[in-house]
Amino acid sequence: VVQLDLSRSNSEFNHFQSNIYAQLKPVNWLTLRTQYGIDYLLIDNDIFWTPVSGDGWSYNGYAWAGAEKYKTWLWTNTAQFDYTFASKHSVNLLVGSEQQRRTSSGYGIQRQSLSDLAYDAVQAGFTTNNPADLFLGENYLFSKFGRANYNYNKKYFLSGNVRQDEYSALGIKKGTFWGASAGWQINKENFWESAGLGKVFSDFRIRGSYGKVGNISGIGDYSPYSTFGSGLYGGNATLAFSSVGNDKLQWETSTKTDVGFNFGLLKDRISGEFSYYKNNIDHLILNVPQSPSTGLPTS
């Protein structure tokens, strides 16, 4: 009861998201679009442990406060071409570029040993003060991409795409990824209806695809670089080796083959899918722990 009444642990999150775009159609088959968006997350942390009982007793009162800011902006520019000719041939082309920047920062203070038991705010009197929640980071992603789709009479479908990305947090920053797919809406063929299969299957499509995509999740903003951390010891400045960089770090890639078919029965009241796929992950991004005897940081 004492801890519930006198201690607290609070976090306040303020999340702001916004987008704005402009679109132009100089001719009816061409669409030009630019879009800019932001995603801001602001966090305030407030912790107080009373010295009367619980975790704060051994500290003679404990308080911790920190402010964290995570900001992202994204700017995308595209040109899209849509055209149908001879009433049966439909073509869709898209080209574009994208830039994304993320920044993060944090600062705070950790205080202990209250000068007066009446205090319960981090701004009040404590005899010991330590820095806390200090971090700073940024990364940048620049991408160029293109996509082409074609279908004939809504029966035969072809698609292809290519994308080139450059990411600041990699040693080898550039990666190129692509994919291709094909589909056949077989239930729209004349022989399908002639065989009476249309009475059973309201939809039937055979499809296949092959492609390669990239992954960068789980790496830090400065992974290619060996870094040092600053601090204090006995009131004097210190510098310590904190992380080992890898300048050969590159995009993790996933190459996937996928073939199968989709079907619908009884006017699509029942639908199903059968697929076979094989996914191969290469250049796996993985933190490798180091043994203390190497003299290197563990990360």
Side-chain angles (χ1 to χ4, degrees), residues 239-260:
L239 201 63
F241 193 18
S242 60
S243 68
V244 181
N246 180 3
D247 61 359
K248 295 179 175 57
L249 186 65
Q250 59 184 298
W251 286 85
E252 178 181 298
T253 60
S254 175
T255 305
K256 186 175 181 180
T257 302
D258 190 346
V259 294

Side-chain angles (χ1 to χ4, degrees), residues 79-220:
Q80 183 168 317
F81 169 93
D82 292 282
Y83 198 75
T84 300
F85 55 96
S87 73
K88 293 184 178 181
H89 301 271
S90 296
V91 178
N92 170 271
L93 301 175
L94 177 74
V95 295
S97 67
E98 191 168 75
Q99 301 176 66
Q100 178 177 276
R101 184 172 186 261
R102 289 194 181 102
T103 60
S104 57
S105 64
Y107 59 89
I109 190 170
Q110 179 260 313
R111 312 186 76 189
Q112 60 192 62
S113 190
L114 275 168
S115 59
D116 192 307
L117 294 182
Y119 296 145
D120 66 354
V122 70
Q123 296 88 349
F126 290 81
T127 61
T128 303
N129 304 293
N130 298 301
D133 205 25
L134 298 175
F135 62 89
L136 188 67
E138 65 176 331
N139 58 63
Y140 200 90
L141 176 67
F142 176 66
S143 307
K144 295 176 288 186
F145 51 87
R147 183 191 67 211
N149 295 322
Y150 167 78
N151 82 74
Y152 172 73
N153 203 24
K154 297 183 179 180
K155 291 194 298 185
Y156 311 108
F157 301 86
L158 295 173
S159 180
N161 64 80
V162 64
R163 181 182 180 103
Q164 185 180 83
D165 296 293
E166 296 180 66
Y167 188 52
S168 63
L170 294 173
I172 302 173
K173 304 186 185 308
K174 187 178 294 185
T176 303
F177 314 103
W178 60 274
S181 64
W184 180 19
Q185 197 72 39
I186 192 171
N187 64 296
K188 292 189 176 182
E189 298 289 356
N190 292 331
F191 70 82
W192 187 268
E193 293 295 333
S194 300
L197 295 173
K199 298 177 181 179
V200 180
F201 292 96
S202 50
D203 178 68
F204 202 99
R205 175 187 285 207
I206 300 173
R207 52 175 176 72
S209 64
Y210 181 86
K212 182 171 76 169
V213 298
N215 174 46
I216 49 175
S217 64
I219 68 171

